[in-house]
């Protein structure tokens, strides 16, 4: 029983990490006032480009870098539309969703369903990994998980404890005041949108380079959307996003494993679990029956136009 | 905004011809942009596009196929558009489509046998009710608890499609079948063909015209546009916003459900897994490209239907069928970028010393954060 629980917990962490990169990236982007609805598609682009590189070169580091580069480029395009051309962010996000899922399927067709020779394998950390239960859950993971152990505290520290983080929060609340203080609001938004997209593509790489070792059209299967809803769920705080991701990870992994124990229920119903859980969690955490001050950045989804001032 | 000697100035008004011409220009540019990706994948764009156009638009058989492919897209486009008209993002047309097909399919396959026209009418309304109820979940959460309808409608897509999958692999699966599909529906429920074209097209035209008249000439349509432009004004004027959210999203879902009706009775004649096949997402593209005008939606749907229809012929050339979604996305992004030129005009600056000095001064104050008019 203990080994069952530890294996579920370890799998839940892997699942959680694969959505956390995107969720934390999106937290930064939304804190900067730009909502990117296209996460699901951008994640697919990351998964596809990373896998393509590994398939052709068998070089994991290069694949990781290519993934980030693709993310930065997509972010640049998204920022150009929403920051410079001041297009509607929701419409842009939907366009990116369709564009990126189409493009990833189109470009990735030649490598669909083929397994790659290499993938990121778990690296047990000497010493720590031999701790019973905890070691198995936390320290027999791959590089994406260990990197996440660094990203979580760093992102929390950055947002709440540094001057740059203060400016980021101000950017999402009142960009005009930052502009008046002589700060280049547009450049900041470009930077955070690109950072968010790069993080999102890393999430995609998690799925095609570590979670599995193949690429399939639409293989993220809604994970991008779960990451997106985590942002509102977490009230724009990476710490809560971690809790939420673990919750969704646990539910999904439990769903997959329950099929073995309760085979009477059709597998499709287990498949519905994470999506239903997302709706329920969203209602509980963002429903207006909570008489709590909304922490949503005030300038979220608002275009900033100097000429409107 | 300035780039070198070019300056963008805000326009006060946009002429109608410009409004029409702009998306057309940028749709063409979108095709140019997508040929970049086609080349990146190692194909020649001109033969690919040439083949697509000749196959799907330039002969009667292809055109009929394109119109039939456009049929469910028209309803999905109308579905997304009516929600957009009130600033609601219904990206759940895919799931509402599936739910409509499930409700209608249940009647067609297992319901009481009714005489011919009546059975079709009952099925039509059941499909609409199925889609409408599915959208109503998101609508109620939005209206009463202000829960983001974008995420909820999308999550419901996955749930509806999995449910459809369950039915078609499970209790509804046709005997002696290996693929997830039901038996065909009774023959007298098929939508009749008129010269190869499904008569569902008339249904689409009637509904599009009704929607157009509703949005343009009725109090309801006017109040919807007030809610879109200013929620606060609407609330102040006493417009029942909550009621409108419920009605409009349910209507939007019902239209997507009707897409399920035309797909089942007009095209595949059965219920099967993955029945919507992405039409719900294509609906988003259609609604945006046609700026939510119901009549334009019919035309744009035929264009995108042709695109979908021609995917079969380019696959013979080895081009992946995903080219369709890729082009759709590129078109949408291109038109979004083009919107900018509806709002701004380009002004070229002559570099005479007088204005240069003025501009430098202007630049200086801008850097200091002074107000720029």
């Amino acid at each position: 029983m203990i080994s069952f629980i530890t294996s579920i917990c370890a799998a839940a962490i892997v699942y959680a990490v694969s959505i956390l990169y995107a969720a934390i990236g999106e937290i930064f982007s939304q804190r900067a006032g730009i909502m990117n609805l296209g996460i699901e598609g951008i994640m697919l682009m990351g998964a596809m480009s990373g896998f393509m590189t590994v398939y052709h070169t068998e070089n994991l580091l290069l694949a990781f870098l290519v993934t980030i580069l693709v993310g930065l480029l997509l972010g640049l395009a998204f920022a150009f539309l929403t920051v410079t051309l001041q297009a509607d962010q929701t419409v842009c996000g939907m366009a990116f969703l369709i564009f990126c899922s189409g493009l990833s399927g189109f470009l990735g067709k030649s490598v669909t369903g083929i397994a790659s020779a290499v993938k990121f394998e778990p690296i047990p950390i000497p010493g720590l990994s031999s701790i019973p239960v905890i070691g198995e859950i936390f320290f027999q993971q791959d590089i994406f998980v260990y990197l996440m152990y660094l990203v979580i505290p760093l992102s929390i520290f950055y947002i709440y404890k540094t001057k740059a983080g203060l400016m980021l929060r101000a950017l999402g609340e009142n960009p005009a005041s930052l502009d008046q203080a002589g700060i280049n609001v547009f450049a900041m938004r470009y930077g955070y949108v690109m950072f968010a997209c790069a993080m999102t593509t890393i999430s995609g790489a998690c799925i095609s380079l570590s979670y599995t070792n193949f690429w399939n059209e639409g293989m993220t299967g809604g994970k991008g959307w779960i990451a997106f809803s985590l942002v509102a769920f977490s009230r724009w705080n990476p710490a809560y996003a971690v809790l939420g991701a673990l919750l969704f990870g646990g539910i999904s992994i439990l769903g997959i494993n329950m099929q073995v124990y309760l085979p009477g229920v059709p597998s499709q119903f287990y498949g519905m679990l994470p999506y239903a859980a997302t709706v329920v969690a969203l209602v509980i955490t963002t429903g207006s029956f909570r008489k709590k001050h909304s922490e949503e950045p005030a300038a979220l989804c608002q275009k900033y136009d100097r000429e409107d001032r | 905004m300035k780039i070198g000697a070019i300056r963008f100035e805000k326009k006060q008004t946009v002429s109608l011809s410009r409004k029409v011409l702009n998306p057309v220009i940028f749709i063409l540019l979108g095709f140019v942009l997508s040929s970049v990706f086609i080349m990146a994948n190692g194909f020649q764009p001109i033969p690919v596009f040439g083949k697509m156009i000749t196959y799907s638009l330039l002969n009667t058989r292809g055109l009929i196929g394109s119109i039939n492919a456009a049929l469910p897209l028209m309803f999905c486009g109308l579905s997304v558009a009516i929600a957009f008209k009130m600033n609601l993002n219904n990206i759940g047309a895919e799931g509402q489509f599936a739910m409509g097909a499930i409700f209608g399919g249940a009647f067609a396959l297992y319901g009481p046998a009714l005489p011919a026209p009546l059975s079709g009418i009952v099925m039509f309304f059941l499909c609409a009710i199925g889609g409408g109820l599915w959208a109503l979940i998101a609508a109620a959460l939005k209206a009463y608890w202000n829960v983001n309808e974008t995420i909820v409608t999308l999550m419901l897509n996955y749930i509806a499609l999995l449910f459809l999958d369950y039915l078609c692999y499970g209790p509804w699966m046709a005997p002696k079948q290996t693929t997830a599909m039901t038996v065909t529906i009774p023959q007298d429920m098929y939508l009749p063909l008129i010269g190869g074209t499904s008569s569902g097209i008339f249904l689409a035209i009637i509904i599009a015209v009704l929607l157009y008249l509703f949005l343009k000439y009725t109090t309801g349509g006017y109040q919807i546009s007030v809610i879109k432009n200013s929620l606060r004004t609407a609330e102040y004027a006493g417009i029942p916003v909550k009621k409108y959210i419920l009605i409009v999203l349910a209507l939007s879902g019902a239209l997507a459900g009707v897409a399920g009706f035309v797909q089942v009775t007009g095209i595949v004649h059965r219920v099967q897994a993955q029945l919507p096949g992405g039409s719900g997402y294509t609906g988003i593209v259609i609604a945006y490209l046609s700026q939510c005008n119901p009549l334009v939606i019919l035309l744009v749907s035929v264009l995108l239907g042709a695109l979908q229809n021609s995917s079969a012929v380019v696959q013979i050339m080895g081009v992946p069928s995903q080219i369709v979604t890729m082009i759709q996305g590129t078109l949408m992004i291109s038109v979004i970028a083009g919107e900018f030129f509806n709002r701004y005009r380009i002004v070229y600056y002559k570099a005479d010393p007088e204005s240069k000095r003025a501009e430098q001064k202007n630049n200086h104050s801008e850097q200091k954060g002074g107000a720029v008019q």
Side-chain angles (χ1 to χ4, degrees):
Chain A
M1 193 62 197
I2 294 230
S3 71
F4 174 69
I5 291 172
T6 46
S7 70
I8 287 222
C9 289
I13 285 184
V14 174
Y15 186 101
V17 165
S18 71
I19 54 178
L20 260 179
Y21 282 102
I24 290 178
E26 182 73 11
I27 287 176
F28 276 84
S29 173
Q30 294 200 3
R31 285 249 181 216
I34 304 285
M35 186 169 89
N36 189 345
L37 260 180
I39 291 193
E40 175 85 7
I42 294 166
M43 219 160 154
L44 280 169
M45 280 299 286
M48 187 276 296
S49 56
F51 181 78
M52 279 277 251
T53 319
V54 144
Y55 182 77
H56 289 296
T57 65
E58 299 197 354
N59 185 337
L60 286 168
L61 182 66
L62 186 68
F64 189 70
L65 294 177
V66 166
T67 304
I68 291 176
L69 183 70
V70 167
L72 291 176
L73 284 175
L74 287 170
L76 187 67
F78 194 81
F80 177 70
L81 288 172
T82 53
V83 179
T84 304
L85 299 188
Q86 295 163 359
D88 185 297
Q89 292 173 17
T90 357
V91 174
C92 262
M94 288 189 270
F96 261 65
L97 168 74
I98 294 161
F99 169 68
C100 292
S101 26
L103 187 62
S104 63
F106 180 63
L107 295 178
K109 183 72 183 177
S110 57
V111 291
T112 298
I114 313 167
S116 65
V118 285
K119 69 176 213 136
F120 284 100
E121 299 292 346
I123 313 162
I125 293 184
L128 288 173
S129 63
S130 49
I131 306 170
V133 185
I134 291 176
E136 203 178 316
I137 296 175
F138 292 100
F139 301 110
Q140 294 185 12
Q141 304 279 15
D142 62 28
I143 189 82
F144 285 108
V145 177
Y146 298 139
L147 208 60
M148 185 43 78
Y149 293 163
L150 287 177
V151 169
I152 295 164
L154 282 179
S155 60
I156 296 171
F157 181 78
Y158 183 88
I159 292 177
Y160 294 103
K161 297 287 177 211
T162 65
K163 193 181 167 213
L166 184 67
M167 271 157 58
L168 168 62
R169 282 180 286 154
L171 183 58
E173 296 292 341
N174 191 346
S177 65
L178 268 189
D179 197 8
Q180 246 147 20
I183 291 154
N184 191 339
V185 180
F186 302 100
M188 265 180 90
R189 284 199 163 166
Y190 261 85
Y192 285 116
V193 169
M194 287 167 74
F195 169 74
C197 285
M199 289 286 273
T200 309
T201 47
I202 294 177
S203 258
C206 268
I207 296 168
S208 68
L209 301 181
S210 126
Y211 207 64
T212 61
N213 61 338
F214 62 87
W215 151 257
N216 221 335
E217 192 196 354
M219 74 185 298
T220 49
K223 274 187 173 176
W225 286 99
I226 294 177
F228 183 84
S229 36
L230 262 184
V231 176
F233 173 93
S234 70
R235 318 218 135 240
W236 293 268
N237 182 344
Y240 293 126
V242 174
L243 293 181
L246 286 172
L247 180 74
F248 286 124
I251 290 173
S252 315
I253 299 298
L254 217 58
I256 295 163
N257 283 281
M258 284 302 270
Q259 285 173 36
V260 183
Y261 292 91
L262 278 174
V265 182
S267 66
Q268 287 93 345
F269 288 92
Y270 292 116
M272 292 176 192
L273 270 177
Y275 310 116
T278 307
V279 173
V280 172
L282 200 69
V283 171
I284 294 171
T285 51
T286 67
S288 59
F289 51 81
R290 286 166 59 107
K291 296 269 176 279
K292 208 179 153 190
H293 168 67
S294 164
E295 280 139 80
E296 182 175 305
L300 183 60
C301 267
Q302 310 285 318
K303 57 189 171 206
Y304 177 61
D305 186 352
R306 276 183 163 170
E307 294 171 39
D308 284 345
R309 261 200 340 226
Chain B
M1 201 188 314
K2 289 194 286 286
I3 302 167
I6 305 167
R7 193 190 178 93
F8 295 99
E9 281 181 3
K10 220 167 223 179
K11 284 189 201 170
Q12 299 304 319
T13 53
V14 187
S15 67
L16 184 69
S17 60
R18 192 60 208 253
K19 241 180 183 165
V20 177
L21 203 62
N22 210 44
V24 175
I25 294 171
F26 279 90
I27 283 178
L28 292 177
L29 276 178
F31 278 109
V32 175
L33 189 63
S34 45
S35 36
V36 175
F37 298 115
I38 294 173
M39 282 195 280
N41 210 8
F43 298 100
Q44 289 297 319
I46 291 168
V48 169
F49 282 133
K51 193 104 185 188
M52 284 175 120
I53 292 167
T54 46
Y55 176 80
S56 65
L57 288 173
L58 298 183
N59 65 74
T60 332
R61 216 177 124 225
L63 194 61
I64 287 171
S66 301
I67 291 174
N68 286 343
L71 197 51
L73 301 182
M74 290 174 180
F75 289 101
C76 288
L78 292 172
S79 160
V80 178
I82 178 101
F84 268 166
K85 277 278 182 194
M86 226 179 81
N87 270 355
L88 294 168
N89 298 309
N90 176 16
I91 45 179
E94 189 89 353
Q96 291 141 16
F97 185 132
M99 271 296 162
I102 289 172
F103 269 57
F107 168 75
L109 297 166
Y110 301 101
L114 295 176
L118 189 64
S119 59
I121 294 167
V122 171
M123 183 170 168
F124 171 83
F125 281 107
L126 277 174
C127 286
I129 289 169
L133 284 179
W134 199 239
L136 211 52
I137 299 174
L141 292 175
K142 170 79 179 178
Y144 295 108
W145 292 335
N146 199 22
V147 178
N148 186 332
E149 80 286 0
T150 318
I151 303 174
V152 176
T153 49
L154 191 106
M155 288 296 154
L156 292 177
N157 276 352
Y158 287 103
I159 295 175
L161 287 177
L162 279 166
F163 188 57
L164 179 67
D165 202 58
Y166 156 70
L167 289 175
C168 295
Y169 271 112
W172 285 14
M173 193 166 165
K176 293 183 221 134
Q177 271 287 357
T178 46
T179 43
M181 50 170 66
T182 64
V183 293
T184 51
I185 58 169
Q187 204 139 28
D188 60 359
M189 290 174 86
Y190 288 12
L191 275 180
L193 296 178
I194 299 169
T197 319
S198 174
S199 55
I201 187 80
F202 295 108
L203 195 62
I205 293 172
I206 292 168
I207 290 181
V209 170
L210 285 178
L211 264 182
Y212 179 79
L213 296 176
F214 167 70
L215 289 169
K216 192 142 190 185
Y217 295 110
T218 65
T219 323
Y222 176 70
Q223 293 191 330
I224 286 174
S225 75
V226 174
I227 296 172
K228 180 193 170 87
N229 290 321
S230 167
L231 192 61
R232 238 180 244 174
T233 312
E235 273 166 353
Y236 186 71
I239 296 173
V241 175
K242 275 184 186 156
K243 205 173 96 189
Y244 269 105
I245 293 176
L246 293 173
I247 292 173
V248 167
L249 264 183
L251 184 62
S252 169
L255 285 166
V258 173
F261 170 75
V262 293
Q263 181 84 347
V264 171
T265 57
I267 296 159
V268 293
H269 303 309
R270 47 160 51 104
V271 181
Q272 59 192 38
Q274 300 302 324
L275 185 77
S279 304
Y281 300 107
T282 309
I284 300 171
V285 181
I286 293 170
Y288 186 77
L289 293 188
S290 42
Q291 307 288 307
C292 296
N293 181 327
L295 303 178
V296 182
I297 284 174
L298 298 178
L299 286 176
V300 175
S301 298
V302 174
L303 179 73
L304 293 198
L307 196 63
Q308 216 157 65
N309 185 24
S310 60
S311 80
V313 74
V314 291
Q315 267 178 291
I316 300 167
M317 300 165 77
V319 181
S321 63
Q322 287 82 355
I323 188 176
V324 174
T325 328
M326 188 274 287
I327 293 178
Q328 285 174 4
T330 321
L331 294 185
M332 189 166 169
I333 288 178
S334 176
V335 173
I336 288 173
E339 268 283 279
F340 179 81
F341 297 96
N342 262 349
R343 286 180 284 125
Y344 286 84
R345 90 171 99 239
I346 306 171
V347 179
Y348 294 97
Y349 256 78
K350 272 194 207 130
D352 68 330
E354 191 74 17
S355 74
K356 214 170 195 179
R357 210 175 305 138
E359 202 177 319
Q360 264 168 7
K361 232 181 199 172
N362 210 356
N363 262 343
H364 193 63
S365 65
E366 204 172 311
Q367 272 162 12
K368 276 192 168 170
V372 183
Q373 289 303 314

